[in-house]
Amino acid sequence: MKFTINRNLFIENLNNVMRAISSRTTIPILSGIKLELTNEELILTGSDTDISIEIKIPVNEDLNVESTGSIVLPARFFSEIIKKLPGKDFSFEVKESFQTQIISENSEFTINGLDANNYPRLPEISDSASFTISGKTFREIINETQFATSNDQTRAILTGVRFFFKPDSIKAVATDSHRLSQRIIALENGPQSETDLIIPGKSLQELARIIGETDPEVKVCPGDSQALFVIGNLAFYSRLLDGNYPDTDRLIPTEKTTSIEFDIPELSSALERASLLTHAGRNNVVTLTLDTEKQTAKLSGKSAEIGNVEEDVSFRNLEGNNLEISFNPDYMRDALRASVTDSVIMSFTKPLRPFIINPDKKDIEFVQLITPVRTY
């Protein structure tokens, strides 16, 4: 196996494959990156069993093939070598006993590799039920829901986002049992049949980073235990979570007794100040007091060790019953960061019942729910 390639081109693709490689894998060969060279393309593969990424670099003026073959190299070490090479191009050659020689200008490395035949095969996923979606739309819906997934592996199903793909819409919902985020976006060319997938939050985080700020077309291929997402020359495989996801629709209140509209920058700043003290205490809780008669909204927090904070927060509209409710300020700040409008409407029922946060525009289907904290 021998080839010469443009270093910047290689690094650009290598960085994406490295997202799938973990140093803490229980399968030693998966701490390596697989390189497979044919007369048509160079294929880079990385996997940690949860996600796998395969990138195909076609043979062109930047990639010159002398002989084909395959090898697995220690990923972190190999990546650092390539990034620190001096030249514009480098040559790569596998010699006897899987020893690999890398040369660029006056720099030469020899590193030990492994037999690529021992590397696990990627799953075969049919594209018979595949459909395409705008990368911008998909990244948007990931960022608006993924943060609400759980990190608790004892309820593994909640570590994922549940997606409902329909011919005319995509609905995503995530909850960690303390908060919930649900977003629905209209689609023009969704799947012909409805598809229900639960995708791990960590997989979605990496997928959103790969999509980036551009708007590539994403091809979605649902499988039985894995899903495949194809973006240009990159194939991203994610395992799917299996189990009964809670019926989140019944958690969302349909009635309200109090509502208030806040400008997000105003409320975010007030929460930031209140959190300075609440983070120092054992109970990270702030209290929102709404007085509909006096038309005031007050945010307060205290720490037994440090002191307390109290602040009047400006708002646009307040109506309904007086209310005092306590909650985790970090959940609220996450919800405000995910919001897609400049202001939000909060709707409450009772001090110990979950409350919801909606955009101030009715044509945007986005609801977030936060469970209050009992302080007595």
Side-chain angles (χ1 to χ4, degrees):
M1 177 180 180
K2 187 176 181 181
F3 65 88
T4 304
I5 191 169
N6 176 278
R7 193 171 68 90
N8 286 339
L9 170 69
F10 189 83
I11 288 172
E12 181 184 330
N13 289 283
L14 176 66
N15 285 341
N16 277 330
V17 173
M18 290 294 291
R19 296 180 188 279
I21 298 171
S22 170
S23 57
R24 296 187 297 275
T25 179
T26 55
I27 305 171
I29 200 167
L30 290 184
S31 63
I33 183 170
K34 179 184 174 185
L35 293 88
E36 183 180 354
L37 184 65
T38 69
N39 287 318
E40 290 79 36
E41 59 196 6
L42 172 63
I43 305 169
L44 308 180
T45 308
S47 177
D48 67 356
T49 68
D50 283 339
I51 66 172
S52 303
I53 296 175
E54 180 183 82
I55 292 182
K56 296 178 178 180
I57 306 172
V59 171
N60 54 29
E61 64 270 14
D62 291 320
L63 171 60
N64 180 45
V65 177
E66 290 193 39
S67 60
T68 61
S70 59
I71 189 77
V72 176
L73 296 174
R76 305 292 171 193
F77 192 48
F78 174 61
S79 173
E80 288 303 313
I81 288 173
I82 300 302
K83 288 174 183 176
K84 290 180 169 59
L85 288 175
K88 177 188 172 187
D89 303 312
F90 70 89
S91 66
F92 180 105
E93 183 177 6
V94 178
K95 297 179 177 289
E96 292 181 6
S97 303
F98 304 111
Q99 284 202 321
T100 303
Q101 187 180 62
I102 301 164
I103 300 174
S104 181
E105 292 185 348
N106 58 351
S107 183
E108 180 179 324
F109 288 86
T110 302
I111 56 176
N112 298 321
L114 298 169
D115 187 349
N117 290 321
N118 296 326
Y119 197 88
R121 289 182 178 273
L122 295 179
E124 292 185 12
I125 299 176
S126 167
D127 66 354
S128 59
S130 68
F131 58 95
T132 58
I133 183 173
S134 147
K136 182 182 177 184
T137 299
F138 199 31
R139 182 175 180 269
E140 192 177 301
I141 206 164
I142 290 171
N143 291 340
E144 289 160 4
T145 54
Q146 183 272 329
F147 70 90
T149 57
S150 174
N151 293 317
D152 184 1
Q153 291 298 327
T154 60
R155 294 193 69 189
I157 199 74
L158 297 185
T159 63
V161 178
R162 187 177 190 182
F163 284 87
F164 299 89
F165 293 100
K166 297 182 179 181
D168 61 350
S169 68
I170 171 175
K171 173 183 174 182
V173 60
T175 180
D176 62 2
S177 76
H178 300 292
R179 56 179 168 174
L180 175 148
S181 185
Q182 176 181 287
R183 181 75 161 107
I184 300 173
I185 296 178
L187 286 182
E188 289 185 2
N189 297 302
Q192 295 304 304
S193 57
E194 294 186 11
T195 304
D196 181 355
L197 306 175
I198 306 172
I199 307 170
K202 290 183 178 177
S203 299
L204 291 168
Q205 218 171 7
E206 293 302 338
L207 185 56
R209 287 173 182 152
I210 288 169
I211 293 171
E213 298 295 333
T214 58
D215 189 16
E217 186 178 79
V218 179
K219 181 180 178 183
V220 183
C221 305
D224 293 332
S225 61
Q226 298 239 356
L228 168 62
F229 304 89
V230 181
I231 307 163
N233 69 333
L234 182 148
F236 183 103
Y237 297 79
S238 171
R239 73 179 177 93
L240 299 175
L241 297 175
D242 187 28
N244 295 318
Y245 201 85
D247 178 9
T248 52
D249 287 340
R250 65 179 179 82
L251 302 174
I252 301 170
T254 55
E255 298 177 351
K256 63 180 179 181
T257 56
T258 309
S259 69
I260 186 168
E261 183 177 348
F262 285 110
D263 283 328
I264 290 177
E266 293 276 351
L267 183 56
S268 295
S269 297
L271 281 168
E272 201 81 46
R273 289 186 286 274
S275 300
L276 289 172
L277 295 190
T278 63
H279 281 160
R282 282 175 296 180
N283 298 319
N284 182 27
V285 175
V286 299
T287 299
L288 178 65
T289 305
L290 304 177
D291 190 322
T292 55
E293 293 157 14
K294 296 179 181 177
Q295 285 289 295
T296 59
K298 196 182 297 286
L299 202 63
S300 58
K302 61 183 178 181
S303 162
E305 298 86 355
I306 308 295
N308 57 68
V309 58
E310 197 171 276
E311 180 173 341
D312 286 323
V313 187
S314 61
F315 56 89
R316 289 190 182 184
N317 186 49
L318 169 61
E319 56 189 27
N321 302 334
N322 291 347
L323 181 83
E324 185 177 292
I325 193 165
S326 301
F327 53 87
N328 183 321
D330 295 340
Y331 291 169
M332 178 67 78
R333 280 161 52 196
D334 286 345
L336 296 179
R337 270 197 292 266
S339 295
V340 293
T341 51
D342 294 329
S343 66
V344 290
I345 298 169
M346 295 185 192
S347 302
F348 308 88
T349 53
K350 296 179 181 178
L352 293 178
R353 296 291 297 162
F355 61 94
I356 60 172
I357 305 167
N358 293 112
D360 63 339
K361 296 178 181 176
K362 291 184 178 180
D363 60 334
I364 298 175
E365 294 188 83
F366 190 13
V367 60
Q368 302 193 67
L369 177 146
I370 295 176
T371 301
V373 177
R374 186 188 291 272
T375 57
Y376 51 88

